Amino acid sequence: MSWHPQYRSSKFRHVYGKAASRDKCYDCVPITRSVHDNYFCAVNPIFIAVVTECAGGGAFLVIPIKQTGKLDPHYPKVCGHKGNVLDIKWNPFNDFVIASCSEDATVKIWDIPNQLLKRNITTPKKELLGHARRVGLIEWHPTADNILFSSGYDYKIMIWNLDVKDTVLSKPVKILDIHKDVVLSMSFNTDGSLLATACRDRKIRVIDPRAGTILQEASYNSHRANKVLFLGNMKKLFSTGMSWWNNRQIALWDQNDLSVPLLEEDLDGSSGLLFPVFDSDTHMLYVVGKGDGNIRYYEISPEKPYLNYLMEYRSPLPQKGIGIMPKRGLDVAACEVFRFYKLIPTKSLIEPISMIVPRRSESYQEDIYPLTAAAQPALTAQQWLNGINKGPLLVSLKPGCGAVNSLPQFLDSEPFTKATDMSPQEGEGERMSLEDEQKPREIKDGRKRLKTKETSPDNGFDIFECPPPKTENELLHMYFRQQEEIRQLRALVNQRDVQIKQLKLELRNVRMDTVTE
């Protein structure tokens, strides 16, 4: 029998984590001291939101993504909850809408203005009243517009349709009353037709959310799951939890058979939670440890051994929570394939960590950036409720390929809740559904892109594209950068002048030739 070395060829074998420099971090951020097991941070290409400490209720901060450095201690908050905020999530199809849930048993939907906040936001766009006890988890549907799931300590999961004009909703469209204890984690499959949950009763369930029925249930006693995750379209689930010996443990499951895990592995003896994050584009799985500074990452394959360890990012600073930038917000010029925002409460710091594929070429690396989920919904809320399933629309991250950010949306005319997408968007982009991935074609849904240019009324420039300098060094850096841009423009003008003179000479030579003939 021949011997085969255990070597795998992979373009992600050498991915490494790179922490941002201090001036690119968010400093002096009062991160929450809540002991609830959650991310406490939500990120999109325009804003970063983080749960904070607040006297007399719950609050969170919304900071423009490019406004790094020290945060003003009097920076305005979003503070309409009467209890501690337990979870926040950005709408995947509108970068100016965020949902929050709290110990006051409510879920609130907020409109965030596209200008720098000047005062606290206390009035939500919508308020969802249905849970009898505190609400610990919220999740937006991945493909249907304005569908929100919430899970509370009343053991119920509620499905809300936000496509209504009412500002206060007390009746969800569906209540899933099938759990016997608190739901610790929720995860959708790619098209949102299935929901996986991890419960405090140590069981993992796969649920049809519209029918309200349990399709699969795991009763595997040696793995106490805390978090569960669908692994894209691979028909597998991944869970993190604890073993009988209180070791941190990971497990891989077949979503159609939860009787025994496909793989089970103990990691270490720490007591902190493990947050799993899956990148369905690259098939990379990240396991983030709460209470330590480590991020382990793996590559998932459809055949055995399924889970292939790549590397581990280590840091001496422990993280309390984590934020995840959507793929459309990554720096493709630097070959960045993922980005975390690490909450470090001991330093009051939010530190971006970029996962980078080392490449020498500075051109767009198409092999590490397959088509990814766009910021436009594939279905309306009513279509999904009527039983229609559709995979997410896909878009290329290649610069110049089309619109990547969410569509501009015109919101209610309130003093501080007008929101319009500021990103220039032209054309339809390259959007595809997962069903049509084998035959790429441009999808035209009749929506016109609007090119908007929003400026701050006080200072005359876009706070998100160019935050004002805070120190003398930043001012000098901005000055020299502008000088370099002016120099490049002058060189371009001189080059054009030379081309014009050459064309004039060629034209005169042509005229002389015609005269001599």
Side-chain angles (χ1 to χ4, degrees):
M1 186 173 66
S2 61
W3 177 79
H4 297 278
Q6 293 189 0
Y7 173 80
R8 288 184 65 257
S9 176
S10 170
K11 64 190 77 169
F12 302 109
R13 279 186 69 226
H14 302 291
V15 169
Y16 66 95
K18 180 181 179 182
S21 57
R22 191 61 183 247
D23 61 319
K24 300 295 183 184
C25 297
Y26 305 84
D27 204 356
C28 300
V29 180
I31 299 168
T32 180
R33 293 191 292 269
S34 171
V35 296
H36 189 72
D37 288 329
N38 229 325
Y39 292 92
F40 296 125
C41 183
V43 186
N44 68 27
I46 298 177
F47 296 107
I48 176 171
V50 59
V51 180
T52 184
E53 286 296 313
C54 179
F60 60 95
L61 295 166
V62 176
I63 308 168
I65 201 73
K66 295 191 177 182
Q67 189 182 335
T68 55
K70 287 188 177 181
L71 187 71
D72 185 348
H74 302 292
Y75 189 83
K77 300 179 177 69
V78 182
C79 52
H81 284 287
K82 297 178 182 178
N84 289 334
V85 175
L86 299 180
D87 198 10
I88 49 177
K89 293 281 169 53
W90 287 105
N91 187 334
F93 310 122
N94 188 339
D95 290 337
F96 296 90
V97 172
I98 190 171
S100 63
C101 64
S102 168
E103 290 182 350
D104 62 9
T106 66
V107 179
K108 298 180 189 288
I109 313 299
W110 308 87
D111 283 340
I112 305 301
N114 58 356
Q115 299 162 0
L116 194 65
L117 293 182
K118 295 182 179 178
R119 66 170 184 261
N120 290 345
I121 296 179
T122 57
T123 305
K125 178 184 179 183
K126 291 184 185 296
E127 189 171 9
L128 315 181
L129 308 175
H131 289 280
R133 298 180 64 187
R134 58 179 174 171
V135 186
L137 290 173
I138 47 176
E139 287 288 344
W140 293 93
H141 194 277
T143 61
D145 197 17
N146 286 324
I147 291 289
L148 183 70
F149 282 56
S150 63
S151 172
Y153 278 63
D154 53 5
Y155 309 160
K156 295 177 182 178
I157 296 177
M158 297 187 179
I159 306 174
W160 304 90
N161 179 7
L162 306 182
D163 262 349
V164 292
K165 294 182 180 179
D166 300 335
T167 56
V168 178
L169 304 178
S170 56
K171 292 183 179 180
V173 293
K174 184 78 177 178
I175 299 178
L176 305 180
D177 193 5
I178 54 182
H179 294 87
K180 299 178 182 178
D181 210 326
V182 178
V183 176
L184 302 175
S185 175
M186 294 190 295
S187 175
F188 288 100
N189 65 342
T190 304
D191 62 5
S193 60
L194 298 176
L195 178 71
T197 62
C199 185
R200 194 176 282 173
D201 63 6
R202 304 181 182 179
K203 293 183 179 179
I204 296 174
R205 295 174 175 88
V206 176
I207 303 166
D208 183 342
R210 285 169 295 202
T213 56
I214 299 175
L215 304 180
Q216 291 288 330
E217 185 174 279
S219 298
Y220 191 67
N221 292 327
S222 66
H223 178 74
R224 294 173 290 172
N226 290 320
K227 298 290 180 183
V228 66
L229 192 67
F230 264 107
L231 298 182
N233 283 330
M234 304 186 75
K235 305 292 184 183
K236 291 180 177 62
L237 295 174
F238 181 84
S239 64
T240 63
M242 307 297 287
S243 69
W244 275 116
W245 306 103
N246 285 331
N247 292 324
R248 294 201 292 191
Q249 191 179 64
I250 60 176
L252 192 69
W253 310 78
D254 181 351
Q255 76 176 44
N256 298 316
D257 181 13
L258 299 182
S259 57
V260 179
L262 300 173
L263 181 145
E264 193 176 15
E265 181 182 335
D266 287 7
L267 294 185
D268 54 40
S270 299
S271 59
L273 203 66
L274 292 172
F275 296 115
V277 182
F278 183 62
D279 182 358
S280 58
D281 300 333
T282 62
H283 290 178
M284 286 184 66
L285 175 73
Y286 302 88
V287 180
V288 183
K290 181 180 180 180
D292 58 57
N294 303 339
I295 301 176
R296 299 173 176 88
Y297 40 103
Y298 305 80
E299 191 171 8
I300 303 293
S301 58
E303 292 86 21
K304 288 183 178 181
Y306 303 119
L307 198 64
N308 303 287
Y309 177 78
L310 294 175
M311 197 69 69
E312 181 175 2
Y313 170 80
R314 292 178 177 270
S315 169
L317 299 175
Q319 58 235 1
K320 183 182 181 68
I322 207 83
I324 301 154
M325 173 65 78
K327 297 298 286 289
R328 54 196 174 89
L330 300 181
D331 182 5
V332 296
C335 295
E336 183 184 35
V337 292
F338 218 78
R339 190 190 306 163
F340 294 98
Y341 287 80
K342 175 178 172 179
L343 304 187
I344 308 172
T346 55
K347 301 281 187 180
S348 297
L349 187 72
I350 303 177
E351 180 184 47
I353 299 173
S354 298
M355 311 307 293
I356 296 174
V357 178
R359 295 282 175 94
R360 291 183 178 179
S361 174
E362 296 181 357
S363 60
Y364 178 72
Q365 305 293 308
E366 199 162 356
D367 60 322
I368 62 174
Y369 294 112
L371 298 178
T372 190
Q376 287 85 40
L379 297 169
T380 63
Q382 197 57 49
Q383 285 175 331
W384 184 79
L385 292 171
N386 290 340
I388 300 175
N389 294 325
K390 193 174 182 182
L393 302 179
L394 300 182
V395 66
S396 171
L397 294 179
K398 187 174 183 179
C401 275
V404 175
N405 289 332
S406 63
L407 288 173
Q409 303 207 15
F410 297 95
L411 308 170
D412 299 336
S413 55
E414 297 178 4
F416 52 86
T417 57
K418 297 179 181 178
T420 307
D421 192 348
M422 306 174 344
S423 305
Q425 300 175 354
E426 299 177 357
E428 281 293 318
E430 297 176 2
R431 297 179 299 164
M432 302 165 58
S433 66
L434 287 179
E435 296 87 353
D436 300 330
E437 191 171 354
Q438 300 300 326
K439 46 177 183 178
R441 63 186 179 86
E442 186 178 14
I443 299 176
K444 296 182 180 180
D445 61 354
R447 298 183 180 184
K448 296 182 179 179
R449 303 294 184 271
L450 299 177
K451 184 175 181 180
T452 60
K453 184 178 180 181
E454 296 292 337
T455 57
S456 174
D458 293 338
N459 51 27
F461 60 84
D462 190 345
I463 187 66
F464 304 108
E465 292 299 326
C466 184
K470 300 174 186 175
T471 64
E472 185 176 354
N473 286 337
E474 291 182 3
L475 184 62
L476 287 172
H477 178 73
M478 186 175 290
Y479 170 75
F480 288 124
R481 187 175 64 185
Q482 289 179 347
Q483 291 296 315
E484 177 65 19
E485 291 176 358
I486 292 171
R487 186 191 65 78
Q488 292 177 356
L489 288 172
R490 284 176 176 167
L492 184 63
V493 170
N494 292 335
Q495 185 179 1
R496 295 288 171 86
D497 288 341
V498 171
Q499 291 176 351
I500 290 172
K501 290 179 180 178
Q502 289 177 346
L503 290 173
K504 285 182 178 179
L505 288 174
E506 291 178 3
L507 184 60
R508 190 167 67 176
N509 291 336
V510 169
R511 287 179 178 173
M512 293 293 292
D513 291 340
T514 54
V515 169
T516 54
E517 291 176 357

